[in-house]
Amino acid sequence: MHDCRPLLEKTDFPAIHRGKLTTLQVNLGYLCNQTCIHCHVDAGPRRTEIMQRETIDTILYFLRVSDVKTLDLTGGAPEMNPDFRYLVHEAHQLGVKIIDRCNLTILSEVGYEGLAEFLVEHQVEVSASLPCYLSDNVDAQRGNGVFARSIAGIQALNALGYGQKDSGLELNLVYNPTGTSLPPSQIELQAAYKKELNERFNIYFNQLFTITNMPIKRFGSWLISKREFDPYMQQLKEHYSEANLESVMCRSLLSVDWQGYVYDCDFNQMLDLPYANQGKRHLSDLLNVNVEGTPIAIMDHCYGCTAGQGSSCGGALD
Ligand code: SF4
Ligand code: SF4
């Protein structure tokens, strides 16, 4: 795989600083039942990096002593961490809102029976990738058969109340482009998704989040191999929107890797670009520390967050 980092280090992206910390985004490990082409984590079934119980207890301690109100769980497939249910149960007891970045197919894997019911019981918000409402496009990006299993996963969640009006069980879908284009209008695409998915499969969801593909890891390597890296970066820079700077997710989120080290965001974690450019810092170093005002570590990939309508784990920024 081609290393994108040397191509991103020299940057003219403007300096940014942290605001109030509201969200801890935790990567529970790189193990996944899928191997999607755009995956910025290079996750897959053979990865062995998994967060251990001791680090999970540090996460829970951090939640106890901080004002952080949202725990955002990612991976890999976060549910494949053997302590996933322990963490969710304990965080729920603390009154923290939990988001599970679920790939939907995990719901039908052998050994994960009862997962959907567990998510309901703990009022977990589900955020699920579905890069298209057409089967061929999804299978091309995420693997053969993934679309049908994803639809079945949404149907199972709908049957338990997810995405249904007034249920309080939020199901959001995530779209990212299949190629090198920027995402289309989030509002317009959400309307099309709602119409198509309802008409074709009788399924429901709350919001659609559009996310720009980041020029790092597997997608970045693919860009390099297709000689598309420089044109893609140029496109991101040409569509730079200063208005998005205020709301880039690193201003309010702290990203934690499977070993407990902290980063300004998940993308920086994947580039091994440490929190605030301070060298490797562990979450246990930040207990009772006010991070507001700390400079954020930036490189050229940050243009992926500010291009066009902007991009974050919660979709468009403007
Ligand atoms: S499901 Fe998510 S974590 Fe797993 S390979 Fe696909 S993009 Fe990566
Ligand atoms: S890539 Fe990360 S550090 Fe850069 S702007 Fe986006 S969220 Fe912030």
Side-chain angles (χ1 to χ4, degrees), residues 27 50-51 55 256-261 280 282:
N27 190 313
I50 280 279
M51 185 176 280
T55 311
V256 185
D257 75 9
W258 65 278
Q259 292 176 295
Y261 292 105
K280 284 247 176 197
H282 198 268

Side-chain angles (χ1 to χ4, degrees), residues 32 34-36 38-39 43 75-77 103 142 218:
C32 188
Q34 294 185 192
T35 44
C36 308
H38 67 275
C39 182
N103 67 20
R142 296 177 71 78
R218 203 174 281 164

Side-chain angles (χ1 to χ4, degrees), residues 29-45 74-78 101-105 129 141-142 176 218:
Y30 303 156
L31 184 61
C32 188
N33 57 328
Q34 294 185 192
T35 44
C36 308
I37 189 168
H38 67 275
C39 182
H40 67 270
V41 190
D42 289 335
T74 180
R101 299 199 173 269
C102 175
N103 67 20
L104 294 172
T105 61
S129 278
Q141 189 181 111
R142 296 177 71 78
N176 62 287
R218 203 174 281 164

Side-chain angles (χ1 to χ4, degrees), residues 130-135 137-138 147 151 154-155 158 173 175 187-205 208:
L130 193 69
C132 190
Y133 46 74
L134 298 174
S135 164
N137 289 348
V138 173
F147 182 76
I151 296 299
I154 297 174
Q155 286 168 335
N158 282 166
L173 299 184
Y175 162 91
I187 293 172
E188 287 171 22
L189 193 63
Q190 175 175 291
Y193 259 66
K194 289 208 171 198
K195 179 173 177 294
E196 295 289 337
L197 288 176
N198 184 249
E199 285 177 6
R200 291 166 191 255
F201 308 105
N202 193 29
I203 56 181
Y204 303 88
F205 65 94
L208 179 75

